[in-house]
Amino acid sequence: PDAGAAAAARQRLAALATPPGALGRIGETAVWWAGVRGTATPPPPQEVHLHVVAGDHGVTTRGVSAFPAAVTPLMVQAFLDGGAAATVLARHLGVRVRTHDLSVDVDWPAGTDPDLVAHKVRRGSGSIDTEDALSPAETDAALAAGAAIADASVDAGADLLVVGDMGIGNTTPSAALVAALLGLGAPTVTGRGTGVDDAGLARKTEVVALALARARERHGADPLRLLGALGGADLAAMAGICLQAARRRTPVLLDGVVVTAAALAAERLAPGTAAWFAAGHRSSEPAHTPALAALGLHPLVDLGLRLGEGSGALVALPLLSAAAVLLAETALLADVLPPA
Amino acid sequence: PDAGAAAAARQRLAALATPPGALGRIGETAVWWAGVRGTATPPPPQEVHLHVVAGDHGVTTRGVSAFPAAVTPLMVQAFLDGGAAATVLARHLGVRVRTHDLSVDVDWPAGTDPDLVAHKVRRGSGSIDTEDALSPAETDAALAAGAAIADASVDAGADLLVVGDMGIGNTTPSAALVAALLGLGAPTVTGRGTGVDDAGLARKTEVVALALARARERHGADPLRLLGALGGADLAAMAGICLQAARRRTPVLLDGVVVTAAALAAERLAPGTAAWFAAGHRSSEPAHTPALAALGLHPLVDLGLRLGEGSGALVALPLLSAAAVLLAETALLADVLPPA
C-alpha cells in the first residue's frame, strides 16, 4: 500500500469536523482504503468482483458436515442461477460475480458455461485425515488458477476483489490449515460449520486432529506444503487470488473462515500480503478469530453469520463505501469554525 | 408490529437455501423488518428520513464537554450546508435530511429557513445539576414537536425514520436520563463524549450525580417528569418522534446514546414502543449499552463510533437493506434440491 496516501488520509481524518477519533474503526478503514488505492481521498469501490471458489473435500465421507457433498454442485448451480444468498447481495450492491469450480466432485453436463470449469484441478480434494488434499503439482495448479482469476479481474478494471467459498465440508480443512499455520490444537479451531450436532463435532475434531498430526509430520511448518496437504484446491486457489491481488496492488475484502484460512496461508507464503486485505465480518466459526488476529485484521461486522459464499464480506461492503465517502466529503473543522 | 408477517418471515428464513441460523442477526433483522412493515418479504427501506434534532444544554458552562456551546449552531449550519458527516452519508444513501432547532442557544439571522426553527422551544435547556432542563409545559411542547415531525415524515411516505442529535454537551443529559430511568449510578453511565480529559470526566460525573439526586428527589420515577428534568428539549422531541412513529406504525432506526436515551424514555412512557425500534450501532459511550439492553435491542454495528448526528444509524442502514433483500430473494432450499 501507499504509505504517503495513507498518511495524507490520516491527516485529513484528524482535521474533519468531528471530534478526534469519533469515526472509530470507520476512520481506520478509510485510511486503509486510501493506502490500498494510492490516493488520499479515493472514491468508494466502483468495480467490485466477487469470486466464489467451489470445491469438494474427501472428509465429507467422515461425517463432518450436516449436509452431504452432493449439495455442493446444487449450490454452484444456485450461484449460476442467482438464487444463492451471496448472489442476491451482489445483485443488490452492483457486484459482479464469477463462480469457479476448482474441485467440485462432479462432471458437469455438456453445455455448461466453460468459464465455470476453466480452472478445475480435480474432482474433490483428498481426505486430509489419511492423505494430502493435493499433490504438490495440484497445489501449484490451484495457486496458478487463483492468480489467473485475480489477473482477469484486475485487467477488467476491478478496484476491489471479494473472495467467497462454496463447498460442503470446507470448514474442516480451513480449521486444520489455521491450526497448522498458527500452532493451535484441533479443539480450539473446530466448530459446527453448517450445524453439526455434538457427535458430528466430535468426529470433525478427531479428523482435524488426525490431519494436523499427519501434516505436521510430513510437512513441518512449510506453508506451501501445508496449504496443499490440508487446504484443498479451492483454498489453494483462494490463496492464489490473494497473492496475485496483492502483487497487482489490488485490495481484497475477506469473507469468513474458509477465505481467511487461505488468506493466512497467502500471508505466510509472501509476508506483507495482508496489508492488502480488509476483513468483512467475524464468523462464528472458532478458527476465524485467531486467523484474523494473526493477520492483524479487525472485521467490520460481527453478526453471527456463518454462511460463507462471500456473504459476510458483501454485508460489510457498504461500510467500506461509507468510510470512503465520509473521509472524502465531510467538511473540515477549519471550514466550519468562523475565522479566528 | 404485525406478528403474522414476522412469523411468515421467520418461516421463510428457515426455508432458505442456507444452513439453519446461518444468517445470524441479519436474519433476525429481516424478521423484525417484516413485522414492522406488515408483510412477509418487504422491500428494503425506500424512503428514509433522517431527523437531526439540535439543542444546547446549560451544563456546558460546567466544563463537561471538550467543545464550547458555540459549536452547536456552527454544526447546525454544517448540516444545512451538507458538510456534516451524517449529511454526507445521507446523500450517499439517498436519505432525506431535516434539521430541527429545538433549543439551540442562538437567534438565527433573518432569512434562515423557517423549517429549521419551526419547533423551537427555548434557547438552551436548563443546567440539570441545579435546575430542571425544561418546565412541564416546555416538555409537552417538545414532545408535541417530535410528534409533528414524525407525522410530517409518515404523511410524506417515509417507511423508516432515523433520528440523530446535534448539541454540545448532550451526552451529559443523556447519561443522567439513562441512569434515572434504569436506577444506575453516575460513574456507570458517564463517558468522555466528544473527548474530555480525566478532569473533565470527573466534572461531568459530578454534574450527572447532582442532576440524578435532584431529579430523583423532585420527580421520583415518573418518566415524563424525568425526561423534562434531565433530557432537555432536544431529547424530549426525539422521544416524541419515537412515540409518534410507533403510533403511526413506522419503524425507527436508532443512533447513539443521545437518541437511545430518548427512545428509552419513550418506551417507559408507552410500553411496547420499542418493538418499532432497531439499533444501528453501539457507541463507545457507557450509557448506551445499558439503554440498548433495557430496550432489548442488539446493534447492527459496533465500530467505536461516537459522533452522533445519526451517523451510526446511517452506517448501519445498508445492513437493514441487505437483510430485506436476502429474505426476499434468496432461493428456498426446496427449489435448489432435486425433486425427491
Side-chain angles (χ1 to χ4, degrees), chain A residues 25-284:
Chain A
R25 294 238 327 289
I26 289 286
E28 295 303 311
T29 301
V31 170
W32 171 80
W33 181 241
V36 296
R37 295 301 297 148
T39 178
T41 55
Q46 309 284 305
E47 179 76 24
V48 183
H49 291 187
L50 167 62
H51 292 289
V52 182
V53 183
D56 276 311
H57 298 271
V59 289
T60 50
T61 60
R62 309 297 198 253
V64 297
S65 176
F67 290 86
V71 169
T72 303
L74 297 171
M75 285 304 303
V76 168
Q77 189 60 51
F79 272 86
L80 300 177
D81 296 341
T87 53
V88 168
L89 284 174
R91 194 161 58 235
H92 171 63
L93 296 167
V95 169
R96 199 180 87 171
V97 184
R98 290 293 180 271
T99 306
H100 309 282
D101 170 4
L102 266 286
S103 47
V104 181
D105 191 13
V106 74
D107 284 321
W108 298 95
T112 298
D113 180 356
D115 285 348
L116 175 67
V117 293
H119 300 293
K120 189 148 183 168
V121 170
R122 56 183 279 178
R123 276 189 57 166
S125 295
S127 191
I128 59 174
D129 53 339
T130 58
E131 60 185 323
D132 282 357
L134 303 178
S135 70
E138 288 165 342
T139 307
D140 291 345
L143 281 163
I149 290 166
D151 274 334
S153 266
V154 177
D155 291 342
D159 55 6
L160 179 68
L161 303 189
V162 179
V163 185
D165 68 280
M166 183 64 234
I168 299 302
N170 66 11
T171 60
T172 299
S174 302
L177 183 58
V178 169
L181 292 171
L182 298 182
L184 302 174
T188 303
V189 294
T190 308
R192 292 179 189 271
T194 50
V196 289
D197 59 15
D198 288 350
L201 180 61
R203 285 191 298 272
K204 188 173 172 180
T205 306
E206 177 65 13
V207 165
V208 171
L210 289 168
L212 273 175
R214 273 195 82 258
R216 282 171 175 159
E217 185 183 326
R218 285 171 60 85
H219 305 299
D222 179 337
L224 180 62
R225 290 285 81 85
L226 290 173
L227 176 62
L230 295 172
D234 42 359
L235 275 81
M238 293 175 201
I241 294 173
C242 291
L243 287 164
Q244 189 66 10
R247 285 187 209 108
R248 298 292 302 271
R249 306 185 65 76
T250 302
V252 181
L253 185 61
L254 302 180
D255 188 45
V257 68
V258 183
V259 174
T260 305
L264 181 60
E267 169 66 19
R268 291 299 160 96
L269 287 167
T273 298
W276 297 92
F277 303 157
H281 83 123
R282 185 189 304 280
S283 129
S284 51

Side-chain angles (χ1 to χ4, degrees), chain A residues 20 22 25 83 91 303 305-306 331, chain B residues 20 22-23 25 83 303 306 329 331:
Chain A
R25 294 238 327 289
R91 194 161 58 235
L303 294 169
L305 293 168
R306 48 184 177 77
Chain B
L23 290 178
R25 294 237 328 288
L303 293 169
R306 47 184 178 77
E329 298 180 27

Side-chain angles (χ1 to χ4, degrees), chain B residues 147-339:
Chain B
I149 290 167
D151 274 333
S153 266
V154 177
D155 291 343
D159 55 6
L160 178 69
L161 303 189
V162 179
V163 185
D165 68 280
M166 182 65 234
I168 299 302
N170 66 11
T171 60
T172 299
S174 303
L177 182 57
V178 169
L181 292 172
L182 298 182
L184 303 174
T188 303
V189 292
T190 309
R192 292 179 189 272
T194 51
V196 290
D197 59 15
D198 288 350
L201 181 61
R203 285 191 299 272
K204 187 172 173 180
T205 306
E206 177 64 13
V207 165
V208 171
L210 289 168
L212 273 176
R214 271 195 86 258
R216 283 171 175 160
E217 186 184 326
R218 285 170 60 84
H219 305 299
D222 179 337
L224 179 62
R225 292 282 81 85
L226 290 172
L227 176 62
L230 295 171
D234 42 358
L235 274 81
M238 292 175 202
I241 294 174
C242 291
L243 287 165
Q244 189 65 9
R247 284 185 212 109
R248 299 291 304 271
R249 306 186 65 77
T250 302
V252 181
L253 185 61
L254 303 179
D255 187 45
V257 68
V258 183
V259 175
T260 305
L264 181 60
E267 170 65 19
R268 291 299 159 96
L269 288 167
T273 298
W276 296 92
F277 304 157
H281 82 123
R282 184 190 303 281
S283 130
S284 50
E285 275 294 292
H288 200 203
T289 290
L292 289 169
L295 289 166
L297 300 175
H298 302 275
L300 286 164
V301 303
D302 187 352
L303 293 169
L305 293 168
R306 47 184 178 77
L307 178 61
E309 305 184 354
S311 59
L314 292 185
V315 162
L317 176 60
L319 278 62
L320 173 55
S321 297
V325 297
L326 281 171
L327 182 64
E329 298 180 27
T330 302
L332 301 180
L333 186 61
D335 295 333
V336 169
L337 297 180

